[in-house]
């Protein structure tokens, strides 16, 4: 993530929303969970941008080649075999044949990757500092649900899948980083047993966001 901009690590930041099982807005849909393929890159790019509250597009626009759009860059990156934001690390929630949500999760290295803040864009420094506090954990990079499909338990179901993936990998903790500008997401994570362990002030540069801090949340499993 240092060798190639740390944008996917910045782009979690949690567009899942709380669930209201006692008073659902509409009947619970039939949802299945599938591994993503390269052909799912468009939905993946849209969902990571939702999760990142526009930060991915802000970063992608400076990575475009020729006539590429920002979302062209996002789709291209989603189709990579390597990197955190890759179809290989992605689970999709599908309802009636339509992709409605995504989870991107994977293992963090056991030792923090050294970095010199002077060598990377300042916007990434607080995120990398928080990640270095959760080495060896199972990391949720992206958890996002399209707006029309929120409040149906999909976000919680994807969190449960992430925990199952962590256990299968032999991990003892699950970590994620969220914006304090999305308190609904943070409340969802806390209800699921995540604890806010540290925070760092955001560096926004030209990116507009209502949050002030990145928050590291960790759950022991």
């Amino acid at each position: 993530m240092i060798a190639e901009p740390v944008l996917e690590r910045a782009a979690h930041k949690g567009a899942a929303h709380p669930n209201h099982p006692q008073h659902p807005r509409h009947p619970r849909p039939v949802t299945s969970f599938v591994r993503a393929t390269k052909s799912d890159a468009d939905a993946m790019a849209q969902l990571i941008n939702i999760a990142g509250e526009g930060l991915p597009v802000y970063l992608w626009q400076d990575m475009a080649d020729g006539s590429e759009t920002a979302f062209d860059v996002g789709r291209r990156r989603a189709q990579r075999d390597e990197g955190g934001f890759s179809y290989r690390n992605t689970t999709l929630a599908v309802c009636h044949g339509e992709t409605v949500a995504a989870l991107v999760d994977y293992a963090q290295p056991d030792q923090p990757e050294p970095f010199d803040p002077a060598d990377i864009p300042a916007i990434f420094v607080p995120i990398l500092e928080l990640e270095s506090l959760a080495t060896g954990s199972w990391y949720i990079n992206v958890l996002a649900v399209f707006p029309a499909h929120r409040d149906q338990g999909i976000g919680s179901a994807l969190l449960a899948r992430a925990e199952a993936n962590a256990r299968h990998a032999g991990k003892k903790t699950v970590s994620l980083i969220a914006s304090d500008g999305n308190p609904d997401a943070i409340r969802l994570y806390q209800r699921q047993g995540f604890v806010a362990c540290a925070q760092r002030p955001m560096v926004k540069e030209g990116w507009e966001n209502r949050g002030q801090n990145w928050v590291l949340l960790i759950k022991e499993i």
Side-chain angles (χ1 to χ4, degrees):
M1 201 53 72
I2 296 172
E4 50 183 288
V6 203
L7 65 103
E8 285 87 21
R9 296 190 183 184
H12 173 284
K13 317 330 165 213
H17 282 244
N19 306 293
H20 304 287
Q22 298 86 354
H23 304 286
R25 295 179 180 177
H26 32 66
R28 187 178 299 278
V30 177
T31 304
S32 59
F33 300 95
V34 300
R35 298 300 298 174
T37 68
K38 289 184 178 182
S39 65
D40 296 307
D42 184 62
M44 288 177 58
Q46 293 181 56
L47 285 161
I48 192 176
N49 192 58
I50 290 172
E53 301 180 36
L55 179 57
V57 162
Y58 170 77
L59 298 167
W60 291 339
Q61 64 189 359
D62 291 333
M63 301 167 63
D65 293 328
S67 61
E68 276 191 324
T69 68
F71 274 103
D72 288 335
V73 175
R75 287 187 284 268
R76 169 162 54 83
R77 294 177 71 79
Q79 292 176 329
R80 297 173 303 163
D81 291 328
E82 72 287 343
F85 179 55
S86 164
Y87 73 95
R88 290 183 178 273
N89 298 326
T90 303
T91 300
L92 301 177
V94 178
C95 179
H96 304 307
E98 177 188 1
T99 296
V100 300
L103 166 73
V104 180
D105 59 338
Y106 48 84
Q108 288 281 60
D110 291 332
Q111 298 295 327
E113 298 178 10
F115 69 94
D116 184 342
D119 292 338
I120 61 173
I123 198 169
F124 298 128
V125 171
I127 298 164
L128 290 174
E129 289 179 348
L130 290 174
E131 285 190 354
S132 70
L133 302 177
T135 53
S137 68
W138 190 257
Y139 184 59
I140 299 176
N141 183 304
V142 175
L143 177 62
V145 182
F146 282 123
H149 298 276
R150 292 173 184 164
D151 300 325
Q152 298 171 14
I154 297 172
S156 294
L158 286 172
L159 281 174
R161 290 186 73 85
E163 290 181 27
N165 292 341
R167 292 189 180 93
H168 181 73
K171 298 297 182 180
K172 303 297 185 184
T173 58
V174 180
S175 65
L176 57 87
I177 297 171
S179 164
D180 65 0
N182 192 344
D184 287 346
I186 290 179
R187 282 193 289 269
L188 168 62
Y189 301 139
Q190 290 176 329
R191 285 203 303 271
Q192 297 295 327
F194 285 81
V195 176
C197 298
Q199 66 180 34
R200 294 289 188 277
M202 289 180 174
V203 177
K204 298 183 182 180
E205 298 177 336
W207 172 54
E208 295 183 4
N209 184 273
R210 59 185 173 177
Q212 298 300 316
N213 299 285
W214 295 120
V215 182
L216 172 67
L217 296 104
I218 297 176
K219 179 177 181 178
E220 295 185 1
I221 58 173

